Amino acid sequence: MARGSSGIVAGLTAAALAAVGFLAYQASANVPETLAVPSPKATSTAPAAGHAAGHAAGHKDKKEPLAVPADSGAGARVVYALDDRRVWLVDAKGKMLRSFAVMPSSVNPRPGSYKVRSRTGVIKGSDGVPIEHVVLFAVADGGVPVGFSAAQDGSMKSPDPKRKTGGVRMKRADGNAMWAFATVGAKVVVVP
């Protein structure tokens, strides 16, 4: 009996946290411009050295290297740039809400448009690391599921190239933002 009730409590807690995250996002997305605090162009660290230089020139504004890639479509979407190791959260009006660096998985999805397929609050990653806010959106060659997640210890280690894993890691604060933004059915655009 105790085991069943602890499962119920854990489920209710996860549901409550998801609801609070969603409501916080909705509140921040609906603040009138007159009350909104101006946000910086990017909220996290710059892309890893060597990946932004040279690779981004084909699809980004040279004056604003952290601008949303021009070839990423329109409307509300998550944009994931493989070469830049960067993600953007973009609202329905095309305004960047957040941009942050990520650690790519050992297996990447092909460039294209996807939809969030499923979400999991807390689980152990395929690399054995406890992760949270898992947002799955693609299946790569070989049947490897690909999604965004944050390690609970905050790490963003390079994946073991010998293992086929699809976890695109981010910092926990960025994972919280992704979780609030990328609900099931949300558009994810992968660019080179």
Side-chain angles (χ1 to χ4, degrees), residues 30-161:
N30 293 311
V31 173
E33 299 230 359
T34 57
L35 296 177
V37 176
S39 60
K41 297 277 186 220
T43 57
S44 289
T45 59
H51 283 275
H55 291 119
H59 67 276
K60 291 222 240 134
D61 185 342
K62 292 179 185 179
K63 292 179 184 176
E64 290 198 45
L66 299 182
V68 177
D71 58 352
S72 67
R77 65 201 183 279
V78 175
V79 180
Y80 174 32
L82 298 170
D83 288 345
D84 294 332
R85 297 179 170 202
R86 181 160 285 278
V87 166
W88 292 262
L89 304 180
V90 183
D91 73 9
K93 295 178 182 177
K95 178 183 174 190
M96 177 184 64
L97 301 175
R98 188 178 188 98
S99 178
F100 47 90
V102 295
M103 177 56 67
S105 55
S106 62
V107 176
N108 290 315
R110 293 182 182 192
S113 184
Y114 302 88
K115 289 193 180 284
V116 172
R117 303 160 61 103
S118 67
R119 297 168 15 122
T120 304
V122 177
I123 195 168
K124 187 176 276 192
S126 57
D127 57 359
V129 174
I131 56 176
E132 63 188 10
H133 297 150
V134 180
V135 177
L136 293 176
F137 64 92
V139 176
D141 293 337
V144 178
V146 178
F148 303 110
S149 64
Q152 289 183 335
D153 66 4
S155 66
M156 288 179 43
K157 298 175 187 168
S158 293
D160 181 350

